[in-house]
């Protein structure tokens, strides 16, 4: 008997719990109760998990969307994880390490099947780690990952979309597939995690570039050219780091589709438009537009630049480098078009 | 000494003549005069080529854009081709064969260097030919091709964009590169023609699909998923026809960039939006919106369907097939989302 815990009650975690809660009642060999671990916080002075359990809705992060009654929230981590065999980790990337320490203590040595829904990547000066690598290191498991062109609110509203499930273990992939795949949320599996996760992180840098192009008011020709270069650099960077990446990664939801969707809208795109229009820095705009919350696109652009500089490869990635320079070194935004270079026949 | 003739004075032909006219004066070993062959037609009762030569502007197809003074138009085909060593063919695809017969007569057995700027493809029930294949067959040369995310008006207005130059002959590619590449029009070369041309044709079918999605009013998640499937089917179809296609084809302007730009706007996209909103057929909309002129997207969708049916492979291309069925067999537009199928780990 499998039992599922969704670790995290934000926008995407609540949506995941909703999907799983709907699917699980049709599955044999699954406990139909799904727990959400909600780090203690309040809504209108009441504990958020109490509100969720009473109203079957998460008014703070997914207002207006009903959760099935078999989903229950708790801010008691031990209770959330009690008996769990399958764990959906969906916390903000900066909280992953502390969450893993806490999970480790509460699972009493059980080996769980884990899937990461975290979009993010840890780039240090001389090292890159993806969320599944961090989980693998901490808990000695081989986690799966779910990543795609997924805006939680659209999915929670049952708009048809796709997502990519990356896994190396067929039996676990099949279980996660049965929990996530539905009429409106179509899951496609690939035998990979690293490439999928890097796509999810790098595409944010490209969507910043697309926002810069839109901020400059160019036509669709020029914007499409920027996306093209971005897609090429993503592919090049990922192959450089991991030559065994299966090519489907770039042709599934986690690749091209996520890139296109993020470059048409979304917060990384929007902040770049404002950067061009106001001449302010990312830091200023983050504090004005997001109350100081850090956006992943600018952050990844910076970390990636530091990493590439350390490796001596900034020139191989002109778009990534230029996004950093425009965002943090006051380079003229119109220099984004310098990445469109001619190429003679070889 | 090379001499250039641009064969065709429409929107894209006039833009090409403008770019070449600007570049050619900086090139040694080139006659600086560039001829445009303009099939006889009038503007305000006067011969269009006379208007072009007098005003250095093509008010019918590229109003408001000045042509350099070394560009001259003539509707005397023999005069236009006189002494030409390099020929830019840019006529509507349905006129290519008759144009080639006429060119053949007028070049007196000289072997010209030829580049095709035609976006289109000839699909018969059991055969597919690209414009360069037709030219090769008729004139016994190995033509190059220029194809990308290029909206003529944006380029004529010096908006920065890219294009892909496909060629198998290094020396000719270099000549065409020097004629087309500029600050605002950046040329990148690939050793291919067939894949490039098929991308240019098939992407129109995908932009019809994108228009259907937009007509249904879906979010960017769902639209991006449709583009993803379209891109995948383009790639699959091209590799099926020509396994030696270099992968860059899909990562250059002629591939991903042209697909994205066309799916954000353009006439194929627009007619599909109207198809969904009004319930009218492509034929009705073409007659209402374009005075009966045929759009390439719907036409290619139909020819492709007939070809694929003959080959017994319609099921391998669910998006292409569904676009045809929605456009010509009154299938419900929302069935476009049936192409988003789940996929378990293999």
């Amino acid at each position: 008997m499998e039992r599922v815990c969704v670790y995290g009650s934000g926008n995407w975690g609540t949506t995941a719990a909703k999907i799983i809660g709907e699917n699980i009642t049709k599955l044999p060999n699954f406990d139909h109760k799904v727990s959400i671990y909600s780090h203690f916080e309040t809504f209108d002075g009441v504990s958020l998990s109490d509100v969720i359990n009473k109203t079957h809705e998460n008014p703070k992060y997914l207002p207006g969307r009903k959760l099935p009654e078999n989903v229950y929230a708790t801010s008691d981590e031990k209770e959330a994880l009690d008996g769990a065999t399958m764990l959906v980790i969906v916390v903000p990337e900066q909280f992953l390490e502390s969450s893993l320490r806490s999970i480790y203590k509460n699972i009493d040595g059980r080996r769980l099947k884990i899937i990461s829904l975290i979009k993010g990547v840890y780039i240090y000066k001389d090292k890159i780690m993806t969320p599944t690598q961090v989980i693998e290191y901490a808990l000695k498991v081989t986690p799966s990952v779910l990543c795609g062109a997924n805006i939680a609110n659209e999915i929670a509203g049952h708009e048809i979309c796709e997502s990519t499930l990356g896994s190396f273990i067929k039996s676990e992939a099949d279980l996660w597939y049965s929990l996530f795949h539905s009429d409106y949320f179509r899951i496609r599996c690939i035998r990979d995690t690293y490439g999928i996760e890097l796509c999810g992180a790098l595409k944010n840098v490209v969507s910043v570039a697309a926002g810069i192009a839109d901020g400059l008011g160019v036509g669709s020709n020029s914007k499409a050219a920027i996306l093209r270069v971005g897609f090429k650099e993503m592919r090049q960077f990922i192959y450089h780091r991991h030559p065994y990446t299966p090519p489907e990664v770039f042709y599934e939801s986690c690749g091209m589709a996520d890139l296109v969707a993020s470059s048409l809208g979304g917060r990384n795109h929007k902040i770049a438009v404002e950067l061009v229009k106001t001449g302010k820095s990312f830091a200023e705009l983050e504090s004005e537009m997001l109350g100081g919350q850090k956006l992943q696109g600018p952050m990844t652009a910076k970390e990636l630049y530091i990493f590439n500089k350390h490796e001596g490869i900034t020139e191989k990635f002109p778009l990534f480098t230029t996004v950093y320079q425009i965002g943090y070194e006051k380079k003229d935004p119109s220099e984004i078009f310098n990445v469109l270079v001619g190429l003679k026949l070889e």
Side-chain angles (χ1 to χ4, degrees), chain A:
Chain A
M1 181 75 92
E2 304 286 355
R3 205 178 100 59
V4 181
C5 169
V6 177
Y7 194 96
S9 62
N11 182 244
W12 190 210
T14 309
T15 302
K18 180 177 180 300
I19 299 169
I20 293 173
E22 288 164 2
N23 281 335
I24 208 166
T25 56
K26 293 166 242 155
L27 301 173
N29 307 322
F30 277 87
D31 183 341
H32 291 177
K33 285 229 173 249
V34 176
S35 63
I36 307 183
Y37 169 63
S38 171
H39 190 79
F40 186 75
E41 51 186 323
T42 56
F43 179 77
D44 272 352
V46 185
S47 134
L48 181 60
S49 52
D50 286 349
V51 175
I52 294 175
N53 292 334
K54 208 172 155 188
T55 63
H56 302 290
E57 192 182 318
N58 183 339
K60 195 162 184 176
Y61 297 112
L62 198 68
R65 306 294 183 194
K66 279 286 161 207
L67 301 176
E69 305 218 342
N70 53 329
V71 169
Y72 73 99
T74 171
S75 53
D76 178 336
E77 192 170 344
K78 209 164 175 66
E79 184 192 343
L81 290 166
D82 183 43
T85 60
M86 300 181 76
L87 189 61
V88 180
I89 298 190
V90 49
V91 295
E93 65 169 314
Q94 64 270 31
F95 299 133
L96 177 60
E97 286 185 287
S98 59
S99 299
L100 289 171
R101 274 194 295 274
S102 190
I103 290 168
Y104 182 79
K105 271 188 271 168
N106 281 307
I107 55 174
D108 307 317
R110 287 173 1 249
R111 176 163 283 187
L112 303 188
K113 303 171 195 66
I114 298 184
I115 193 163
S116 162
L117 268 55
I118 300 168
K119 274 201 188 174
V121 67
Y122 305 88
I123 308 181
Y124 314 94
K125 193 177 163 187
D126 58 352
K127 205 163 74 178
I128 295 183
M129 281 185 87
T130 66
T132 61
Q133 287 180 320
V134 174
I135 297 169
E136 185 169 357
Y137 185 79
L139 299 181
K140 308 289 172 269
V141 290
T142 303
S144 302
V145 66
L146 187 77
C147 184
N150 302 145
I151 294 165
N153 289 325
E154 294 185 4
I155 300 164
H158 290 205
E159 276 205 22
I160 293 171
C161 86
E162 295 183 316
S163 198
T164 306
L165 198 161
S167 182
F168 290 97
I169 306 169
K170 165 83 178 144
S171 59
E172 293 192 14
D174 286 352
L175 289 173
W176 292 121
Y177 182 93
S178 65
L179 287 170
F180 281 108
H181 181 75
S182 77
D183 263 8
Y184 61 90
F185 191 51
R186 313 225 171 133
I187 300 300
R188 295 173 60 82
C189 299
I190 300 182
R191 194 174 294 273
D192 179 67
T193 51
Y194 192 78
I196 293 171
E197 292 174 287
L198 274 188
C199 267
L202 297 175
K203 69 107 207 316
N204 287 322
V205 181
V206 185
S207 63
V208 168
I212 291 172
D214 280 335
L216 291 165
V218 300
S220 52
N221 280 3
S222 316
K223 184 175 175 183
I226 295 293
L227 288 194
R228 176 195 80 71
V229 177
F231 195 40
K232 202 169 189 176
E233 289 189 15
M234 281 167 62
R235 186 163 158 264
Q236 226 173 297
F237 187 86
I238 292 171
Y239 275 128
H240 174 72
R241 301 289 307 162
H242 190 61
Y244 307 107
T245 303
E248 304 93 273
V249 164
F250 303 98
Y251 289 94
E252 289 291 343
S253 183
C254 60
M256 191 235 185
D258 197 10
L259 173 67
V260 168
S262 315
S263 299
L264 296 181
R267 299 191 305 168
N268 289 301
H269 175 270
K270 204 174 288 170
I271 204 169
V273 171
E274 288 305 309
L275 185 93
V276 175
K277 290 194 173 163
T278 64
K280 293 180 183 169
S281 69
F282 281 136
E284 287 174 275
L285 292 167
E286 279 166 338
S287 95
E288 282 176 24
M289 297 166 70
L290 307 158
Q293 195 195 328
K294 295 275 170 215
L295 271 189
Q296 222 215 323
M299 197 163 62
T300 305
K302 186 177 188 174
E303 291 167 343
L304 188 63
Y305 176 77
I306 295 168
F307 175 84
N308 283 347
K309 203 169 172 197
H310 184 262
E311 298 262 302
I313 54 173
T314 53
E315 283 175 16
K316 283 191 176 172
F317 300 95
L319 186 75
F320 293 162
T321 302
T322 305
V323 167
Y324 164 78
Q325 291 168 331
I326 292 171
Y328 294 97
E329 296 185 344
K330 298 263 168 209
K331 193 171 211 174
D332 183 342
S334 68
E335 294 200 33
I336 194 87
F337 297 115
N338 292 353
V339 306
L340 309 178
V341 295
L343 177 72
K344 291 197 173 185
L345 195 64
E346 273 151 23

